[in-house]
């Protein structure tokens, strides 16, 4: 039996792990991105945009022994080119999972012609084919800055200073954030002394690194399980562990500053000399570990010389970046302030950005080492933190001024008012719905979060006047009015002015609400 037309209609639904972003959040995001961009530009970085998807082998996230690429990426075959006889027909392509892997491909293609060091910033969505959860989506935005071709630790120090300056430009006060720094060479030294050196232990160590990267989010007990036999989460999904011995687990967790109770040793993290001395002891006998501690000493000296103390940028053993390609300093931008949710429970946002040195990434294409370092902001997470931090400072009215329609035959007059407001730089629109019921026009203005409406009936027109209704002040006044008759008599926050003064009077209302 054939489907009816009704049965054939698609169900309006979002793919799992994705979301729609509406006007208010988008405006907040655009304002935030503008402030980040200004800091990145001030540091001399240039914009670069790369495509949303790349050949899968260029991204480096695939399993060669399986028919379909996976490991957290969305992939598909480029079969459309078959009809054109392209030599690349049928190759796998994947949506980018970050902005760094496409940069490595771009640098490998253009290295001979670009200035060195090459400094670029990029902003855009990335995609992860992973299990979504509260606040974790499969599409999200990142804002990156990278320096390619600079081997000096000064480039890494600059990234840490960039991160601090960016957070402050967004209104986050000193004391409410910290840029934490570690070094993968130190961690490689720890691997050696923990007895996990050698290619036969690569899988174990990578699993351990990914587990340690979750310390801030999951805590000591859960990570201890991930370093051991594995962990079952709240949804009963089981994640296999690194299968390390109890002695190795204790040594690794002790080094990171997390003890049995799951608290980090912040008291020593603030003391650079003490932290570095602990590092040197922990990796004693490892050349890589020694090189890592030397790099961290230099980085600490460089940021301190520029006025960035340990209250802003500090050496911290708990920083573990889980991605395989980091080769030197690694850093996390962490928010330290605590807020309350609607139920009064404490909320901490933790890490909102991170990065590090990745000297081997371009070499995947060229075979030659190209030093590189970068920092990436998780835009959505940082935006959520800023929204929570500034919720009491949110604008009370950021919608357009609405010019209402009292007489349909006078649409041209009303449109002329709208044009005058727009010419003066004021967001304004003409009510384009059915004007029969005036209450519906005010209801529309409320839904649009309009600061005020413009009204001109026949009486106002005859006297060359307009009536302005301040919706924000009106809402406040209405709360104290007892009944409809009193409201009609008082007409709160409503004023009649000369039509020639329309723009000036509307500006006064807007200034009052944006003060």
């Amino acid at each position: 039996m054939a489907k009816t037309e009704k049965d054939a209609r698609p169900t309006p639904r979002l793919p799992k792990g994705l979301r729609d972003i509406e006007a208010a959040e988008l405006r907040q995001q655009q304002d935030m991105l503008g402030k980040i961009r200004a800091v990145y530009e001030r540091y001399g970085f240039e914009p670069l945009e790369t495509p949303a998807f790349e050949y899968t082998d260029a991204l480096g996230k695939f399993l060669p022994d399986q028919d379909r690429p996976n490991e957290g990426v969305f992939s598909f075959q480029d079969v459309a080119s078959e009809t054109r006889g392209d030599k690349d027909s049928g190759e796998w392509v994947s949506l980018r999972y970050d902005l760094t892997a496409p940069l490595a491909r771009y640098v490998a293609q253009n290295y001979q012609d670009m200035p060195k060091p090459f400094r670029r910033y990029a902003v855009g969505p990335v995609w992860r084919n992973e299990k979504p959860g509260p606040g974790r989506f499969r599409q999200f935005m990142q804002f990156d800055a990278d320096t390619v071709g600079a081997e000096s630790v000064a480039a890494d120090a600059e990234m840490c200073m960039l991160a601090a300056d960016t957070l402050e430009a967004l209104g986050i006060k000193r004391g409410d954030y910290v840029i934490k720094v570690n070094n993968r060479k130190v961690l490689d030294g720890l691997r050696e002394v923990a007895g996990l050196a050698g290619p036969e232990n690569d899988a174990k160590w990578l699993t351990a690194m990914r587990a340690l990267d979750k310390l801030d989010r999951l805590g000591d007990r859960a990570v201890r399980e991930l370093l051991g036999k594995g962990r079952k989460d709240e949804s009963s999904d089981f994640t296999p562990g690194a299968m390390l011995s109890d002695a190795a687990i204790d040594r690794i967790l002790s080094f990171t500053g997390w003890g049995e109770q799951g608290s980090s040793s912040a008291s020593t993290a603030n003391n650079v000399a003490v932290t570095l001395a602990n590092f040197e002891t922990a990796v004693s006998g490892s050349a890589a570990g020694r090189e890592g501690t030397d790099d961290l000493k230099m980085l600490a000296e460089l940021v301190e010389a520029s006025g960035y103390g340990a209250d802003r940028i500090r050496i911290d053993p708990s920083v573990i970046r889980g991605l395989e390609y980091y080769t030197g300093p690694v850093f996390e931008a962490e928010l330290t302030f605590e807020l309350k949710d609607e139920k009064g429970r404490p909320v901490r946002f933790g890490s909102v950005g991170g990065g590090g040195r990745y000297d081997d990434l371009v070499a995947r294409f060229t075979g030659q080492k190209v030093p590189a370092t970068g920092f990436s902001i998780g835009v959505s997470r940082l935006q959520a933190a800023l929204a929570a931090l500034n919720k009491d400072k949110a604008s009370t009215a950021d919608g357009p001024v609405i010019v209402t329609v009292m007489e349909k035959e006078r649409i041209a007059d009303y449109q002329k008012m709208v044009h005058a407001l727009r010419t003066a730089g004021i967001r304004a629109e003409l009510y384009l719905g059915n004007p029969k019921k005036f209450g519906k026009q005010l209801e529309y203005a409320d839904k649009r979060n309009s600061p005020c409406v413009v009204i001109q009936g026949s009486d106002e027109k005859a006297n060359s006047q307009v009536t302005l209704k301040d919706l924000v002040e009106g809402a406040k006044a209405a709360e104290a009015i007892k009944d409809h008759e009193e409201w009609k008599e008082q007409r709160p926050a409503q004023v009649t002015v000369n039509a020639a003064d329309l723009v000036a009077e509307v500006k006064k209302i807007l200034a009052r609400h944006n003060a």
Side-chain angles (χ1 to χ4, degrees):
M1 179 176 168
K3 282 188 174 182
T4 65
E5 183 180 343
K6 183 177 180 181
D7 292 336
R9 292 173 184 164
T11 301
R13 58 196 178 115
L14 275 171
K16 189 175 182 181
L18 302 182
R19 68 187 186 113
D20 297 314
I21 306 175
E22 297 181 343
E25 185 176 347
L26 282 173
R27 287 198 177 90
Q28 292 170 0
Q29 185 180 97
Q30 289 161 4
D31 178 66
M32 173 181 161
L33 295 181
K35 292 175 181 176
I36 297 172
R37 184 177 288 107
V39 177
Y40 286 13
E41 289 270 2
R42 193 162 69 241
Y43 270 70
F45 291 95
E46 299 285 350
L48 174 69
E49 184 172 309
T50 55
F53 58 86
E54 304 263 353
Y55 285 114
T56 301
D57 60 350
L59 288 179
K61 278 291 219 181
F62 65 101
L63 292 179
D65 59 342
Q66 295 190 13
D67 292 335
R68 180 180 178 82
N70 54 19
E71 280 203 32
V73 297
F74 288 101
S75 303
F76 54 96
Q77 283 184 291
D78 185 12
V79 295
S81 58
E82 289 181 1
T83 58
R84 302 188 299 270
D86 291 352
K87 65 181 180 64
D88 296 329
S89 153
E91 286 206 38
W92 282 99
V93 292
S94 299
L95 287 171
R96 63 191 182 199
Y97 59 86
D98 69 4
L99 299 175
T100 310
L103 171 65
R105 186 269 308 156
Y106 175 85
V107 169
Q109 279 187 295
N110 300 280
Y111 193 65
Q112 298 305 318
D113 301 320
M114 60 175 50
K116 302 173 188 66
F118 175 62
R119 299 162 68 82
R120 86 88 168 90
Y121 70 82
V123 58
V126 298
W127 294 265
R128 304 277 173 91
N129 189 4
E130 298 172 345
K131 181 180 178 181
R136 294 171 62 85
F137 299 97
R138 286 175 164 173
Q139 176 183 319
F140 53 95
M141 184 172 289
Q142 291 184 334
F143 205 146
D144 290 15
D146 293 83
T147 299
V148 181
E151 198 165 4
S152 170
V153 175
D156 305 295
E158 186 178 67
M159 286 297 167
C160 297
M161 294 187 284
L162 171 81
D165 287 350
T166 300
L167 293 181
E168 291 192 14
L170 292 168
I172 299 172
K173 297 180 295 185
R174 294 184 191 181
D176 284 344
Y177 74 88
V178 64
I179 311 303
K180 302 191 299 184
V181 190
N182 202 348
N183 195 306
R184 288 300 290 268
K185 295 175 186 175
V186 175
L187 297 170
D188 289 343
L190 179 64
R191 175 180 178 175
E192 289 180 39
V193 299
L196 294 170
E200 69 277 9
N201 289 312
D202 282 351
K204 273 189 176 184
W205 184 247
L206 181 57
T207 301
M209 294 290 283
R210 286 173 171 163
L212 289 176
D213 198 28
K214 300 172 183 176
L215 264 171
D216 282 347
R217 183 163 59 89
L218 297 180
D220 169 81
R221 181 174 298 177
V223 170
R224 181 175 289 275
E225 292 175 353
L226 290 171
L227 291 172
K229 295 179 180 179
R231 174 178 181 263
K232 183 181 290 188
D233 64 19
E234 294 79 2
S235 64
S236 296
D237 282 355
F238 182 76
T239 302
M243 302 300 292
L244 303 185
S245 67
D246 289 343
I249 293 172
D250 288 340
R251 182 155 193 169
I252 291 170
L253 285 177
S254 175
F255 166 81
T256 64
W258 286 72
E260 291 293 337
Q261 302 304 315
S263 59
S264 63
S265 55
S267 58
T268 59
N270 278 316
N271 189 320
V272 175
V274 172
T275 301
L276 289 173
N278 289 342
F279 279 18
E280 289 175 345
T281 299
V283 300
S284 177
S286 166
R290 179 68 191 185
E291 187 177 344
T293 56
D294 289 345
D295 285 350
L296 287 175
K297 282 182 181 178
M298 182 176 292
L299 188 149
E301 290 171 1
L302 290 171
V303 299
E304 179 70 32
S306 293
Y308 296 79
D311 60 325
R312 302 169 70 189
I313 301 173
R314 77 176 187 220
I315 310 301
D316 194 310
S318 68
V319 180
I320 310 291
R321 298 293 292 172
L323 296 175
E324 301 94 299
Y325 53 65
Y326 289 115
T327 59
V330 288
F331 18 88
E332 295 269 5
E334 181 177 304
L335 303 183
T336 57
F337 61 81
E338 189 175 276
L339 298 173
K340 304 288 186 182
D341 65 13
E342 62 279 0
K343 295 184 178 180
R345 297 170 300 195
V347 176
R348 286 192 64 177
F349 287 91
S351 176
V352 292
R357 177 161 289 276
Y358 52 96
D359 289 350
D360 295 334
L361 201 58
V362 178
R364 291 184 57 250
F365 300 94
T366 64
Q368 297 179 336
K369 178 181 175 181
V370 177
T373 186
F375 174 72
S376 177
I377 289 175
V379 173
S380 300
R381 187 166 183 80
L382 180 52
Q383 184 177 346
L386 290 172
L389 185 63
N390 298 315
K391 63 181 179 181
D392 296 331
K393 303 176 186 176
S395 173
T396 53
D398 55 9
V401 173
I402 305 296
V403 176
T404 61
V405 176
M406 303 297 288
E407 301 167 15
K408 290 180 67 174
E409 62 275 12
R410 292 185 48 232
I411 288 289
D413 290 341
Y414 301 127
Q415 189 67 69
K416 186 177 179 181
M417 294 180 198
V418 173
H419 177 70
L421 292 168
R422 290 172 178 166
T423 301
I426 298 170
R427 288 190 72 209
E429 68 173 81
L430 177 67
Y431 180 73
L432 297 174
N434 187 339
K436 276 190 173 182
K437 292 184 179 180
F438 183 67
K440 291 289 185 183
Q441 299 191 50
L442 295 183
E443 184 180 316
Y444 173 78
D446 280 334
K447 289 182 177 180
R448 294 284 280 123
N449 205 24
S450 176
C452 72
V453 296
V454 180
I455 305 166
Q456 190 185 59
S458 54
D459 290 343
E460 287 99 343
K461 172 66 175 175
N463 295 315
S464 297
Q465 295 177 321
V466 293
T467 295
L468 303 179
K469 183 172 177 58
D470 185 329
L471 297 181
V472 178
E473 291 300 321
K476 294 177 183 177
E479 293 177 359
I481 293 177
K482 299 176 182 178
D483 54 39
H484 184 64
E485 290 302 318
E486 186 180 348
W487 185 91
K488 285 180 66 178
E489 183 180 333
Q490 293 189 18
R491 302 223 178 240
Q494 186 166 300
V495 61
T496 299
V497 301
N498 290 329
D501 297 330
L502 169 65
V503 170
E505 294 296 330
V506 168
K507 283 185 174 181
K508 288 180 184 178
I509 292 174
L510 297 180
R512 186 160 63 237
H513 298 313
N514 292 323

